[in-house]
């Protein structure tokens, strides 16, 4: 299976291309969603009515003229927010890659540990720690790193993180759905052996120890990609169906619940966990993410109810 596009002596890997494609798709979706918040964010001020140059008094407007003035101001604000989404993208992408690599370094899968690629190895071989072209990125770390970068950006601009988190959540699920296909080209993140009609062939070079003579496996990356697409669809539906009932952070907490549950269940099929003792670290972390999302929703709405 081809791993990328050969350009001279350089191999442009599909893995990296799909990560970038996912980031671009996520940013496009976030830029569309954040535009709907124009006029609602703190600091937004409606433009004053036009002033009569001679008297200095506001010029009386008809209702239609007033609506046009307000609509024009909101459109300008919507365009500004949409542009901010694209400004955030490189920072979120950089933070995501750093977080994903750190996650992999700190929690390497068992198969890599068997080959000596432990946390200590990476700490003593910094150049190898930076080599991400062949994979080695942990999605949980990518989400954490990306959100930290977004938080820093929002702090610098005086923008509330929660509103941006809700706008980013559906795109984040989309980016994960797209990026998971990089695992297909790298022949990684596959599940237990299977003979189901949608089984995938893993070349001998990429089979885990103890499975050298088994050819077909569950396409775990595909299951997660489809789950993430469903997550994105759910978030978009909720945002359009219940705009008046949703509180800030609700969509992000929902994303965390759905994604956490999906990853927790899919880890049962994974042959290559990231163990800490007898515990699958990724699986337990995803369970905590889902529980945290539930608690977040509960507290968010309980707090809102007290304010009413």
């Amino acid at each position: 299976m081809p791993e990328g596009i050969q350009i001279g002596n350089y191999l442009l890997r599909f893995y990296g291309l799909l990560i970038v494609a996912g980031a671009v798709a996520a940013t496009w979706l976030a830029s569309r969603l954040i535009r709907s918040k124009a006029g609602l964010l703190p600091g937004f001020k409606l433009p004053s009515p036009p002033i009569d140059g001679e008297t200095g008094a506001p010029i009386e407007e008809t209702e239609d003229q007033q609506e046009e003035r307000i609509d024009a101001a909101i459109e300008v604000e919507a365009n500004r927010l949409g542009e901010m989404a694209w400004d955030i993208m490189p920072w979120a992408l950089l933070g995501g890659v750093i977080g994903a690599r750190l996650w992999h370094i700190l929690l390497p899968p068992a198969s890599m540990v068997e080959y000596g690629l432990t946390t200590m190895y990476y700490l003593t071989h910094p150049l190898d720690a930076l080599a991400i072209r062949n994979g080695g990125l942990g999605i949980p770390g990518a989400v954490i790193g990306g959100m930290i970068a977004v938080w820093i950006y929002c702090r610098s601009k005086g923008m509330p993180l929660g509103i941006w988190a809700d706008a980013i959540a559906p795109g984040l699920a989309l980016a994960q759905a797209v990026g998971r296909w990089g695992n297909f080209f790298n022949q990684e993140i596959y599940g237990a052996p299977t003979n189901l009609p949608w089984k995938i062939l893993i070349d001998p070079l990429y089979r885990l120890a103890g499975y050298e003579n088994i050819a077909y496996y569950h396409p775990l990356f595909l299951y997660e990609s489809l789950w993430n697409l469903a997550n994105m669809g759910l978030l978009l539906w909720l945002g359009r169906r219940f705009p008046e009932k949703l509180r800030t952070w609700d969509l992000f907490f929902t994303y965390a619940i759905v994604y956490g549950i999906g990853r927790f269940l899919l880890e049962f099929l994974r042959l290559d966990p990231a163990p800490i003792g007898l515990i699958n670290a990724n699986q337990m972390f995803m369970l905590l993410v889902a529980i945290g999302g539930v608690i977040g929703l509960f507290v968010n709405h309980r707090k809102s109810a007290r304010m009413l």
Side-chain angles (χ1 to χ4, degrees), residues 52-67:
D52 189 302
E54 295 182 359
T55 64
I59 298 175
E60 292 187 10
E61 297 177 297
T62 65
E63 289 187 5
D64 289 342
Q65 289 174 328
Q66 188 178 43
E67 288 181 4

Side-chain angles (χ1 to χ4, degrees), residues 46-307:
L46 289 174
S48 302
I51 302 298
D52 189 302
E54 295 182 359
T55 64
I59 298 175
E60 292 187 10
E61 297 177 297
T62 65
E63 289 187 5
D64 289 342
Q65 289 174 328
Q66 188 178 43
E67 288 181 4
E68 288 179 4
R69 175 169 56 84
I70 294 174
D71 289 345
I74 292 177
E75 181 63 23
V76 170
E77 176 71 356
N79 290 335
R80 185 182 74 88
L81 292 174
E83 291 172 359
M84 286 184 68
W86 291 103
D87 291 340
I88 289 174
M89 185 189 77
W91 299 101
L93 184 59
L94 178 61
V97 171
I98 292 174
R101 189 57 175 173
L102 286 174
W103 187 275
H104 174 79
I105 289 172
L106 296 174
L107 294 170
S111 62
M112 291 191 172
V113 173
E114 290 179 3
Y115 287 102
L117 298 177
T118 63
T119 300
M120 185 55 64
Y121 171 84
Y122 283 121
L123 294 178
T124 55
H125 296 76
L127 292 181
D128 287 341
L130 297 174
I132 63 173
R133 292 181 63 242
N134 295 325
L137 299 175
I139 295 298
V143 175
I144 295 171
M147 289 307 299
I148 290 175
V150 172
W151 173 74
I152 293 172
Y153 182 90
C154 289
R155 288 270 296 181
S156 69
K157 299 295 183 180
M159 302 286 287
L161 177 61
I163 291 176
W164 277 98
D166 286 341
I168 289 171
L172 182 57
L174 175 60
Q176 291 173 295
V178 174
R180 269 304 177 205
W181 281 91
N183 303 128
F184 168 72
F185 291 103
N186 280 2
Q187 297 196 57
E188 57 188 5
I189 315 298
Y190 52 87
T194 184
N195 286 316
L196 291 171
W198 52 84
K199 61 184 181 290
I200 58 168
L201 173 67
I202 298 298
D203 294 336
L205 178 64
Y206 299 99
R207 296 173 192 168
L208 298 175
Y211 295 88
E212 294 88 350
N213 297 322
I214 301 176
Y216 294 99
Y217 299 82
H218 279 281
L220 205 59
F221 70 90
L222 173 62
Y223 300 161
E224 186 173 337
S225 180
L226 294 175
W227 184 265
N228 285 322
L229 285 177
N231 194 3
M232 178 196 70
L234 173 63
L235 296 173
L236 291 175
W237 178 78
L238 288 173
R240 293 176 181 176
R241 182 67 177 81
F242 305 104
E244 297 179 356
K245 294 183 179 180
L246 291 172
R247 309 290 184 182
T248 301
W249 286 103
D250 277 0
L251 289 180
F252 187 79
F253 288 143
T254 303
Y255 157 83
I257 294 169
V258 176
Y259 176 60
I261 290 173
R263 272 298 299 269
F264 175 81
L265 295 175
L266 289 174
E267 285 290 329
F268 284 111
L269 286 175
R270 188 164 181 174
L271 298 174
D272 197 19
I276 296 181
L278 299 176
I279 297 175
N280 182 337
N282 284 331
Q283 188 174 44
M284 289 301 101
F285 179 77
M286 285 301 131
L287 180 60
L288 293 176
V289 167
I291 293 173
V294 172
I295 294 173
L297 276 179
F298 175 77
V299 172
N300 204 27
H301 282 261
R302 186 178 182 183
K303 179 180 177 181
S304 299
R306 286 180 175 178
M307 295 173 61

